[in-house]
Amino acid sequence: MREILDEERFPPFRKLFFALEQARPEFAGTVTRLKLAELNHPEADVAGVLARELMRNAYQHTTGANLAELDGELPRTVRLEVGMVDVPGCAEARVRVAVFDQGDLFGFSPANVRRGLMLAQALGDRYGYGCDRVRRPDGKVVWVQF
């Protein structure tokens, strides 16, 4: 895990499949799984689980929202992006699930984020967190590739 500094570590999407804002984590996970299954990606189920968990973490840790008790609209602070990226040194493109939020890296530690990052570490080829100052100057991103 390392802070995002350049396009080598966090390359732009070659193809963005979709992006969601204000989506409940379960919905985000289902959309991710269905879209990748439609593309016959072998990791569609894994991607769905990771999207759901990273979204859940982002809402919980940046807004303090208890999603089980929240009715109506969600805070507009979390964005999921799923797409293909080219990774230097890899012959094939990778799928990346990235969750952007308005939290900052001050005080952010993988030790404070439990399930989502543990799953990313266990199920992904690469994962990380940091600041993407170009796309989201006011927050951070947590991502996983496979």
Side-chain angles (χ1 to χ4, degrees), residues 4-17 81-88 93-98 100 126 132 134-135 143 145:
I4 297 163
L5 300 174
D6 55 34
E7 288 187 5
E8 182 177 338
R9 293 186 191 136
F10 193 72
F13 284 108
R14 177 194 335 158
K15 179 174 184 172
L16 179 65
F17 296 141
E81 294 182 357
V82 178
M84 296 294 287
V85 294
D86 293 315
V87 177
R94 299 283 194 248
V95 169
R96 180 172 66 214
V97 173
F100 298 81
R126 294 176 70 191
D132 182 0
V134 173
R135 301 193 48 217
W143 56 272
Q145 291 172 184

Side-chain angles (χ1 to χ4, degrees), residues 7 16 20 49 52 60 65 72 81 95 103 109 114 123 130 140:
E7 288 187 5
L16 179 65
L20 296 172
V49 168
R52 182 189 70 225
Q60 181 181 0
E81 294 182 357
V95 169
S109 165
R114 294 174 188 88
L123 301 175
K140 71 178 179 308

Side-chain angles (χ1 to χ4, degrees), residues 23-143:
R24 293 203 173 269
E26 292 75 18
F27 177 76
T30 300
V31 170
T32 300
R33 181 179 53 78
L34 291 175
K35 179 62 179 175
L36 292 180
E38 179 182 300
L39 297 170
N40 295 316
H41 195 284
E43 301 292 341
D45 290 337
V46 170
V49 168
L50 291 168
R52 182 189 70 225
E53 291 302 324
L54 294 179
M55 290 284 284
R56 184 176 291 147
N57 281 354
Y59 278 120
Q60 181 181 0
H61 294 287
T62 61
T63 68
N66 180 347
L67 297 178
E69 296 174 0
L70 198 59
D71 264 345
E73 245 180 53
L74 296 173
R76 194 178 183 116
T77 56
V78 177
R79 178 180 173 88
L80 168 70
E81 294 182 357
V82 178
M84 296 294 287
V85 294
D86 293 315
V87 177
C90 294
E92 295 182 14
R94 299 283 194 248
V95 169
R96 180 172 66 214
V97 173
V99 175
F100 298 81
D101 63 46
Q102 292 178 341
D104 59 32
L105 288 176
F106 181 74
F108 180 82
S109 165
N112 297 337
V113 183
R114 294 174 188 88
R115 185 178 162 116
L117 284 180
M118 287 180 6
L119 286 171
Q121 182 178 22
L123 301 175
D125 296 334
R126 294 176 70 191
Y127 72 108
Y129 66 91
C131 296
D132 182 0
R133 297 290 179 213
V134 173
R135 301 193 48 217
R136 199 74 187 238
D138 60 342
K140 71 178 179 308
V141 59
V142 177
W143 56 272

